[in-house]
Amino acid sequence: MNATKWGFKKSLWVFHLNAGACNNCDIEVLDCLCPKFDIERFGMKLVGSLKHADVLLVSGSVPRRVVPDLIEAYEQLPQPGVVIAIGACACTGGIFKDGYNFAGPVDKHVPVAAYVPGCPPRPEAIIGAVVKLLGKL
Amino acid sequence: MSTTIPIGPFHPVLEEPEYITLQVEGETVVSADIELGRIHRGMELLAEEKTFDQDVFLVERICGICSASHSWTATLAMEDIAGITVPDRARYLRTIVHELERLHSHMLWVGLAGHIIGYWTVFMWGWKYREPVLDALEAITGNRNNYAWYCPGGVRRDVPDDIWPPIVKAMDEFAEKTNLLIDVILNDPVILCRLKGVGILSKEDAIAYGVLGPTARGSGVDIDVRRDESYGAYDEVDWKVIVQPDGDCLAVGVVRLLEMIEATKIIKQCIKKLPKGEIRNEVREIPRGEGIGHIEAPRGECFHFIRSNGTNMPERHKMRAPTFLNIPSYRPRVKGETISDATLIFAVIDPCYSCTERMAAIDSDGSRVANGHDLIKLSHQRTEWLRKNL
């Protein structure tokens, strides 16, 4: 078992970072926590501090102003850690890719391990992505 | 001797990136500053580069929670220019989706408010009861959020009659659960201690700051676009505007909770009265002209202005969301309160930054308001700085 696999063996703690999203992906991420989907049964938990997290969920089209913050946040993520891009904006830029303030998508600035497309992706898709990613690590 | 406390930009309580600095003396907040601009996506310029049909789908993505409000406002503005009327069935269908959105937005706020004051149970309950509303929206429009439901002249698709009975049943259950929540929240001594008398916005301040929506109605200002300048089917159903005089966090919460009960009533009446017939009038072109649309979004009045030059793209599309006017009311509210209440007072207006961040620049002492040329200059300087530092 290599170090990365060992690092992700236990419960995954997730930090959610809104890099210029429209709230939709963010409320769907929070929806994963609510009793209907209840992601905590897989040991996953949304944490308040980046220093406690294993996974960084990034949503949003990354406007220019957020770029330094996003890079700084990624540097604070304890390693081994993975980044998941949530939503069409985070994956490709979506409808905002022609905007003058668009500096993304997310993978232009930080390495991304998994992409969850959709506007917004359903909670099932987000849970599915995390589970698939865990199998691949 | 005051200390500065930064909140943000990525704070777990606030969903969106924003940066608040609190000046505190001991535990008491003396002043607060809010730095916005992290979600500025260039929405207005993008709208001018897309056709009218595409615009409706773009403005939906201004904010994920009030996507129906923004798209309805934009279509109202377009219909205003072209002088198009909407079929009766479409008016009712539009109203139903808009009120369902109000339900899920208010319930979301109740959950987040519970989360902020440390009541995780209220969060879980609120979000559990919100799920049937999203299911209803999915049954009607095909998506949980970003409904793509409105289009100039009517609505995008018709719905069969057999989907309504489960939705009526869900609304009855939702009203029952909301009554339960109201009962719990208004009788819990700890919740009352955290909310009552905290963050008071007086009626005079509310009018001076021009706040809108539940924030204004919680301070005793009796405004509601749905009644004052009725649109959709609101003047054909029976409902009332909820106003609370106190202006504290509890009053705003009560306004939102009671509004949910009213919204379920509106939805049920609309479903009962839903006329048969066409759902869309054909729109051949949007002629040269100017038009406005304004409606009551869950957070307050949402306003769109569109100028058309006769082509298939708008020449100017100005959007103003309610949070833009609600945010400055944070200052009079938070002054003299303790740090532990600061985030709650900030959340009480149900802030939505992705709605707000069009463009505005004001010096920290309030002395200078930038004009368009200044903003372009500032933007160039900022871009230079970013290029150097990236």
Side-chain angles (χ1 to χ4, degrees):
Chain A
M1 188 185 285
N2 61 23
T4 313
K5 206 154 191 176
W6 179 81
F8 290 117
K9 206 175 65 176
K10 296 275 173 60
S11 307
L12 281 188
W13 285 10
V14 177
F15 184 83
H16 164 239
L17 192 141
N18 176 333
C22 71
N23 276 331
N24 246 342
C25 299
D26 315 303
I27 54 176
E28 293 295 53
V29 166
L30 275 183
D31 244 9
C32 296
L33 280 176
C34 81
K36 187 172 177 189
F37 300 100
D38 195 17
I39 203 170
E40 282 187 26
R41 69 203 146 113
F42 302 119
M44 287 173 219
K45 193 181 156 190
L46 222 54
V47 290
S49 167
L50 199 57
K51 304 269 169 71
H52 299 164
D54 302 302
V55 180
L56 184 63
L57 293 182
V58 185
S59 57
S61 63
V62 195
R64 284 185 198 172
R65 178 107 179 256
V66 182
V67 174
D69 300 337
L70 175 66
I71 294 170
E72 200 181 328
Y74 178 71
E75 281 165 359
Q76 286 183 18
L77 182 71
Q79 294 298 329
V82 290
V83 179
I84 302 181
I86 302 270
C89 298
C91 295
T92 63
I95 202 165
F96 300 111
K97 72 178 192 309
D98 299 327
Y100 61 84
N101 216 23
F102 173 69
V106 175
D107 60 4
K108 196 173 164 191
H109 304 290
V110 296
V112 176
Y115 300 85
V116 191
C119 188
R122 298 176 62 89
E124 292 95 328
I126 297 173
I127 298 171
V130 178
V131 171
K132 266 187 200 164
L133 179 68
L134 282 182
K136 284 254 170 90
L137 281 169
Chain B
M1 167 71 194
S2 68
T3 321
T4 307
I5 294 188
I7 300 178
F10 299 104
H11 194 268
V13 158
L14 311 163
E15 279 301 295
E16 294 164 272
E18 61 278 328
Y19 188 65
I20 309 165
T21 42
L22 296 175
Q23 300 285 338
V24 294
E25 273 173 16
E27 270 223 318
T28 315
V29 180
V30 282
S31 152
D33 252 326
I34 303 155
E35 186 193 313
L36 296 171
R38 279 186 171 73
I39 320 186
H40 177 71
R41 291 161 293 180
M43 192 68 82
E44 289 184 7
L45 198 72
L46 271 175
E48 289 156 24
E49 290 162 2
K50 295 192 187 299
T51 64
F52 285 106
D53 279 334
Q54 293 169 332
D55 255 3
V56 181
F57 304 116
L58 176 74
V59 296
E60 264 190 345
R61 282 149 182 88
I62 289 177
C63 165
I65 307 174
C66 19
S67 48
S69 314
H70 278 291
S71 47
W72 196 0
T73 320
T75 45
L76 275 179
M78 289 167 196
E79 285 155 9
D80 186 20
I81 302 172
I84 307 160
T85 52
V86 179
D88 282 345
R89 185 173 173 84
R91 277 195 300 123
Y92 275 80
L93 287 172
R94 284 175 166 196
T95 310
I96 291 169
V97 169
H98 189 229
E99 284 306 306
L100 281 169
E101 181 186 76
R102 191 182 313 279
L103 280 184
H104 99 74
S105 171
H106 282 356
M107 203 44 140
L108 181 142
W109 179 84
V110 170
L112 285 182
H115 164 49
I116 288 166
I117 61 173
Y119 259 75
W120 200 242
T121 319
V122 174
F123 173 80
M124 287 295 178
W125 277 10
W127 285 60
K128 185 170 83 180
Y129 302 147
R130 181 174 159 268
E131 280 299 320
V133 181
L134 292 182
D135 291 343
L137 278 168
E138 195 178 357
I140 298 172
T141 67
N143 202 3
R144 288 159 58 90
N145 313 87
N146 285 352
Y147 321 107
W149 181 242
Y150 300 84
C151 60
V155 295
R156 186 174 47 85
R157 69 169 199 177
D158 206 352
V159 284
D161 284 335
D162 59 347
I163 67 163
W164 299 118
I167 292 175
V168 173
K169 190 161 161 269
M171 286 305 110
D172 284 334
E173 281 168 11
F174 187 89
E176 199 182 303
K177 296 288 170 18
T178 311
N179 279 324
L180 180 84
L181 261 181
I182 294 173
D183 200 33
V184 169
I185 288 171
L186 298 187
N187 289 319
D188 188 306
V190 182
I191 294 185
L192 285 185
C193 283
R194 282 302 303 274
L195 298 180
K196 205 168 172 54
V198 172
I200 294 175
L201 183 73
S202 66
K203 190 173 177 179
E204 291 72 40
D205 275 349
I207 293 168
Y209 278 82
V211 294
L212 299 165
T215 317
R217 292 195 285 275
S219 293
V221 184
D222 190 6
I223 50 166
D224 195 319
V225 185
R226 288 177 290 170
R227 178 200 60 196
D228 300 338
E229 263 181 75
S230 192
Y231 55 95
Y234 287 109
D235 50 351
E236 290 160 34
V237 291
D238 179 34
W239 61 285
K240 59 178 189 289
V241 178
I242 309 287
V243 181
Q244 293 278 325
D246 297 338
D248 55 359
C249 292
L250 182 69
V252 183
V254 170
V255 167
R256 289 215 167 87
L257 284 165
L258 295 178
E259 262 182 22
M260 284 196 279
I261 305 277
E262 293 299 316
T264 54
K265 279 188 207 162
I266 297 174
I267 294 166
K268 279 193 287 184
Q269 290 176 55
C270 282
I271 292 175
K272 205 172 170 187
K273 284 186 173 179
L274 187 66
K276 296 254 184 293
E278 287 292 309
I279 55 156
R280 188 176 182 179
N281 282 342
E282 198 184 10
V283 182
R284 302 294 296 180
E285 58 164 2
I286 309 279
R288 181 186 284 271
E290 292 180 349
I292 60 161
H294 64 148
I295 63 161
E296 184 80 12
R299 289 162 184 74
E301 184 193 348
C302 176
F303 177 88
H304 282 227
F305 164 82
I306 298 179
R307 188 193 297 140
S308 162
N309 55 3
T311 58
N312 62 347
M313 294 181 192
E315 195 177 43
R316 177 87 180 92
H317 192 156
K318 162 79 189 158
M319 312 138 188
R320 198 213 58 199
T323 312
F324 189 71
L325 291 166
N326 287 343
I327 282 183
S329 74
Y330 181 55
R331 258 199 171 157
R333 271 214 149 116
V334 82
K335 212 171 178 181
E337 302 288 344
T338 60
I339 311 170
S340 53
D341 290 330
T343 43
L344 172 69
I345 297 170
F346 198 60
V348 83
I349 61 164
D350 201 358
C352 174
Y353 304 97
S354 44
C355 280
T356 306
E357 304 204 341
R358 304 280 76 80
M359 204 51 168
I362 298 172
D363 265 9
S364 53
D365 58 347
S367 59
R368 185 184 65 100
V369 180
N371 62 22
H373 295 293
D374 297 340
L375 289 175
I376 291 167
K377 208 170 143 197
L378 276 175
S379 153
H380 286 171
Q381 284 169 359
R382 185 78 188 169
T383 314
E384 285 299 314
W385 181 87
L386 278 168
R387 276 198 191 126
K388 263 185 229 148
N389 286 285
L390 285 181

